[in-house]
Amino acid sequence: MNLSDRQTAGQHGPPGRMSAMEAVLADLREAIEEGTYPVGEKLPAESALAQKYGVSRSVVREALRTLQAIGMTVSRTGRGTFVQSDRAVDNPTFGSYSARDLMEVRQHVEIPVSGYAALRRTEDDLDTLARLLDRMAGETDDLAWTTLDTLFHITIAQASGNPVFRKVIEEIRDALAHQSTFVNQIHGRREQSDDEHRRIVRAIADGDREEAMAAMQAHLAKVETSLNIIVLRPASEYRIAEEDVGGTEDRPTS
């Protein structure tokens, strides 16, 4: 099986645009759920999977990290990746933090932070945010996009004028990147996120504290909904589940 970078059709349901990482992840997850790779079995090495799918090892590595986050595999140092469960856990982990803990902190920190940013942002902050929006909209590499996504949230924390807020977001930056990769499994989620980010920046630029907080709250709610969709649905279904998190004006076509 050889996968293109951006166009891969699912084996179940209508074909849709998927990144290479999404396609590798969907195929591996489905194989585990259906017992092709039973619990206790070792998955093929990264190099073998990269060759099988015709992608880079970094793409395979990110897919394997996501499988581990949802509790389906475990990595054993020096031995490889082994199947741990044929079903996803209800509370994935991203690095050192669980999804539940991460979302709780984000809701209590990033929503008020966006409000402070609307009141205290500088022109430099707005310029940085505008550049990040442009770069994210034009980015074709999924892993690069998640890095920009993390920088976006750090920049908003910086715009709040409180260095403690920035420190908090920087502390969880790796977990945020893993979470972004995870939720982007849903077709069209990246484009939806770009739209949500634009709404947040517009409110901050307008100095509208209430709207900035509402926009961030809506964004985080969509993230949480996406997390739940991926965890609860089997691989064959989450490929076409984007309608459950709302539409996007820039939705790619099949």
Side-chain angles (χ1 to χ4, degrees), residues 19-34:
S19 72
M21 193 284 292
E22 290 170 327
V24 171
L25 174 61
D27 196 71
L28 287 174
R29 179 171 176 177
E30 188 169 45
I32 293 171
E33 289 173 348
E34 294 182 347

Side-chain angles (χ1 to χ4, degrees), residues 137-150:
E139 184 55 66
T140 58
D141 182 86
D142 291 292
L143 301 183
W145 187 92
T146 61
T147 298
L148 294 172
D149 181 41
T150 304

Side-chain angles (χ1 to χ4, degrees), residues 6-234:
R6 297 295 303 169
Q7 299 278 352
T8 306
Q11 295 177 349
H12 300 267
R17 288 188 63 167
M18 301 174 69
S19 72
M21 193 284 292
E22 290 170 327
V24 171
L25 174 61
D27 196 71
L28 287 174
R29 179 171 176 177
E30 188 169 45
I32 293 171
E33 289 173 348
E34 294 182 347
T36 304
Y37 295 122
V39 174
E41 183 166 320
K42 179 181 176 181
L43 294 182
E46 284 182 10
S47 56
L49 289 172
Q51 184 174 11
K52 173 185 177 181
Y53 293 113
V55 299
S56 67
R57 289 183 65 171
S58 64
V59 168
V60 171
R61 192 173 301 120
E62 199 60 43
L64 292 176
R65 286 169 88 178
T66 302
L67 284 174
Q68 186 169 339
I70 59 178
M72 297 184 76
T73 64
V74 60
S75 178
R76 295 172 182 162
T77 305
R79 297 180 59 193
T81 300
F82 292 79
V83 178
Q84 181 170 258
S85 173
D86 62 359
R87 290 292 178 268
V89 297
D90 63 359
N91 187 24
T93 58
F94 304 108
S96 303
Y97 308 104
S98 74
R100 188 174 297 123
D101 291 345
L102 195 60
M103 287 308 305
E104 188 172 282
V105 167
R106 294 191 70 182
Q107 289 163 354
H108 283 83
V109 174
E110 291 196 78
I111 293 173
V113 159
S114 61
Y116 287 123
L119 299 179
R120 302 171 180 169
R121 84 290 186 278
T122 66
E123 288 303 313
D124 285 344
D125 293 327
L126 294 178
D127 287 344
T128 300
L129 288 170
R131 286 197 301 271
L132 284 170
L133 288 178
D134 288 343
R135 291 175 63 189
M136 293 171 80
E139 184 55 66
T140 58
D141 182 86
D142 291 292
L143 301 183
W145 187 92
T146 61
T147 298
L148 294 172
D149 181 41
T150 304
L151 287 174
F152 175 84
H153 287 276
I154 289 174
T155 301
I156 290 178
Q158 177 176 302
S160 74
N162 186 329
V164 178
F165 284 139
R166 174 171 180 142
K167 200 75 172 174
V168 170
I169 303 303
E170 286 182 334
E171 165 64 26
I172 61 174
R173 68 185 303 165
D174 288 345
L176 291 180
H178 294 166
Q179 187 182 70
S180 288
T181 299
F182 187 79
V183 299
N184 287 345
Q185 294 172 45
I186 294 181
H187 168 52
R189 177 58 207 153
R190 257 183 55 174
E191 291 75 16
Q192 293 164 12
S193 190
D194 284 342
D195 289 343
E196 293 155 20
H197 288 164
R198 283 191 284 270
R199 179 187 169 192
I200 294 168
V201 172
R202 280 196 298 269
I204 291 174
D206 291 343
D208 189 334
R209 180 182 185 182
E210 295 304 317
E211 172 59 16
M213 293 174 66
M216 181 63 79
Q217 184 173 28
H219 173 55
L220 295 180
K222 290 291 182 66
V223 171
E224 188 165 23
T225 297
S226 299
L227 283 166
N228 291 333
I229 287 172
I230 295 167
V231 168
L232 295 175
R233 292 180 183 234

